[in-house]
């Protein structure tokens, strides 16, 4: 369904449907309830801001017809409106454009920037920032990168092309390599290529994912391990404090489970430098933008569904210094 309100400031309008078992409710009361139950609410989103939505005809049904404040919303009716994002700490890293043509925009995403709005991260997201920067509200990510992971991210520029590119990634038809910085563990490749396998599950609402018993659903190839040189070691220690010798791990996952590389590094080598979840879960309030997690989606290769040509995109973001 096409939204009856346009994208504004890079953000889609919200759509809520009154449940079938609910009682009819005034439109203004329904929107007030939706705002009051937001997990991350902007304190400026008060009674006056609510009234202004209705005065400006910015609360509508699925046909785009505005609701008056006292109009009744009935069970199974849709209501569309704009949420007011809460304040967010600005991410102090730049987004670099790797490639652009008529169909796609490929960016080098920095750490701490979510791919698209979710939870407490709304405006500090790659999608919103690039929509505002380019003026193209049709931009949509073809895939996602974890918020703390940097590197190559593909965005689709036209609505009619989203399905082709998103299906490409959903079917795992793109190949990726990642680079991680972690403590140097010698001997991991002494017996040839290393394949790390496990079963990883993640429950909604729980920050960490877990390794559980059962059929394998997560596979990662360790491609190489190279100790960093003295200059890069000093850069890392300036950022994180004294460290044992660090190394660059090149990883090639063949599956894409949540936090797969972070868990496999923890279990089969060493935790990724700067990882706030594995092995120790840190509080959200402890987040420090000056000590990022050192994991980068370095290369991405796929056959373009439009041109049918093989394309490879490479992040030039330094793994160690960012």
């Amino acid at each position: 369904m096409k939204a009856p309100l346009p994208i504004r400031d890079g953000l889609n309008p919200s759509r809520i449907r009154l449940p079938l078992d609910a009682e009819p409710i005034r439109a203004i009361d329904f929107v007030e309830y939706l705002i009051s139950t937001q997990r991350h609410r902007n304190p400026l989103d008060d009674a006056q801001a609510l009234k202004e939505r209705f005065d400006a005809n910015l609360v509508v049904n699925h046909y785009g017809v505005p609701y008056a404040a006292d109009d009744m919303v009935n069970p199974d009716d849709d209501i569309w409106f704009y949420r007011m994002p809460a304040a967010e700490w600005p991410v102090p890293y730049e987004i670099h454009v790797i490639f652009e043509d008529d169909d796609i925009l490929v960016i080098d995403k920095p750490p701490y920037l979510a791919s698209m709005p979710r939870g407490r991260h709304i405006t500090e997201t790659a999608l919103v920032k690039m929509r505002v920067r380019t003026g193209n509200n049709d931009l949509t990510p073809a895939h996602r990168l974890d918020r703390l992971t940097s590197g190559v991210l593909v965005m689709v520029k036209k609505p009619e092309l989203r399905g082709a590119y998103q299906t490409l990634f959903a079917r795992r038809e793109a190949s990726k390599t990642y680079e991680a910085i972690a403590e140097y563990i010698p001997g991991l490749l002494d017996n040839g290529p290393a394949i790390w396998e496990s079963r990883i599950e993640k429950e909604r609402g729980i920050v960490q994912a877990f390794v559980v018993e059962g059929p394998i659903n997560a596979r990662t190839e360790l491609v190489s391990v190279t100790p960093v040189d003295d200059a890069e070691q000093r850069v890392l220690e300036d950022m994180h404090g004294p460290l044992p010798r660090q190394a660059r791990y090149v990883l090639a996952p063949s599956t894409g489970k949540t936090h797969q590389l972070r868990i496999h590094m923890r279990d089969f080598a060493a935790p990724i430098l700067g990882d706030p979840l594995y092995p120790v879960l840190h509080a959200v309030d402890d987040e420090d933008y000056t000590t990022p997690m050192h994991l980068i989606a370095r290369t991405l290769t796929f056959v373009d569904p439009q041109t049918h040509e093989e394309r490879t995109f490479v992040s030039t973001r330094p793994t160690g210094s960012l």
Side-chain angles (χ1 to χ4, degrees):
M1 172 187 290
K2 181 177 175 59
L5 291 172
I7 291 170
R8 188 175 70 173
D9 299 326
L11 290 169
N12 296 71
S14 293
R15 172 196 179 194
I16 308 294
R17 177 168 293 177
L18 189 64
L20 285 170
D21 58 354
E23 295 293 326
I25 184 174
R26 289 196 312 159
I28 195 167
D29 294 335
F30 188 28
V31 177
E32 182 180 33
Y33 168 77
L34 296 172
I35 293 170
S36 67
T37 55
Q38 281 183 209
R39 187 173 180 183
H40 306 289
R41 180 180 177 180
N42 191 321
L44 298 178
D45 203 355
D46 55 13
Q48 180 61 30
L50 175 62
K51 179 179 180 298
E52 289 172 356
R53 286 180 173 87
F54 285 91
D55 291 344
N57 294 326
L58 293 178
V59 181
V60 305
N61 65 17
H62 64 280
Y63 296 110
V65 177
Y67 282 100
D70 291 331
D71 285 346
M72 300 303 292
V73 180
N74 295 303
D76 209 32
D77 283 349
D78 285 337
I79 198 163
W80 292 78
F81 72 105
Y82 294 106
R83 296 187 185 272
M84 184 184 296
E88 301 175 46
W89 286 107
V91 173
Y93 300 107
E94 292 293 324
I95 301 174
H96 304 301
V97 173
I98 297 173
F99 173 84
E100 182 176 9
D101 64 10
D102 290 341
D103 299 330
I104 60 174
L105 174 67
V106 185
I107 65 169
D108 200 341
K109 188 187 83 66
Y112 298 109
L113 206 62
S115 297
M116 58 193 306
R118 183 179 181 184
R120 68 171 63 235
H121 307 293
I122 305 298
T123 58
E124 291 298 305
T125 59
L127 175 60
V128 171
K129 284 185 174 294
M130 293 310 296
R131 279 179 172 176
V132 171
R133 178 168 156 181
T134 64
N136 181 1
N137 283 329
D138 289 328
L139 278 179
T140 302
H143 60 112
R144 297 189 189 190
L145 284 181
D146 184 67
R147 176 174 168 264
L148 299 186
T149 303
S150 312
V152 182
L153 179 65
V154 177
M155 294 186 174
V156 186
K157 299 176 71 173
K158 302 174 182 177
E160 64 270 21
L161 299 181
R162 292 173 186 168
Y165 285 97
Q166 289 174 346
T167 298
L168 166 77
F169 286 94
R171 291 178 176 172
R172 306 291 301 172
E173 293 173 359
S175 59
K176 308 174 185 179
T177 64
Y178 290 75
E179 289 180 9
I181 297 292
E183 180 180 347
Y184 176 45
I185 307 296
L188 292 174
L189 294 171
D190 284 354
N191 296 320
I195 304 296
W196 298 339
E197 298 179 322
S198 58
R199 181 170 187 83
I200 296 173
E201 299 290 350
K202 188 178 185 301
E203 295 183 22
R204 186 177 180 85
I206 297 177
V207 176
Q208 289 177 311
F210 296 92
V211 176
V212 299
E213 295 293 330
I216 289 168
N217 66 358
R219 291 181 176 84
T220 302
E221 179 183 357
L222 174 61
V223 177
S224 65
V225 182
T226 308
V228 302
D229 60 27
D230 289 344
E232 190 168 9
Q233 180 77 18
R234 286 193 295 272
V235 170
L236 295 170
E237 292 189 353
D238 287 343
M239 193 179 299
H240 296 274
L243 295 167
R245 175 61 64 176
Q246 299 293 293
R248 178 171 288 100
Y249 292 76
V250 177
L251 310 168
S254 55
T255 56
K257 302 302 291 184
T258 300
H259 298 172
Q260 174 179 323
L261 299 182
R262 299 163 70 174
I263 290 172
H264 279 175
M265 282 293 296
R266 176 199 66 185
D267 292 347
F268 297 104
I272 297 173
L273 182 63
D275 191 335
L277 293 184
Y278 308 98
V280 177
L281 174 61
H282 294 267
V284 172
D285 292 341
D286 290 342
E287 191 167 75
D288 181 356
Y289 288 171
T290 66
T291 56
M293 181 177 73
H294 297 271
L295 177 64
I296 289 184
R298 179 62 74 193
T299 69
L300 174 63
T301 300
F302 59 87
V303 175
D304 191 295
Q306 288 300 109
T307 66
H308 306 292
E309 298 176 353
E310 183 175 273
R311 287 181 157 178
T312 296
F313 301 108
V314 181
S315 167
T316 58
R317 193 175 297 274
T319 319
S321 62
L322 298 175

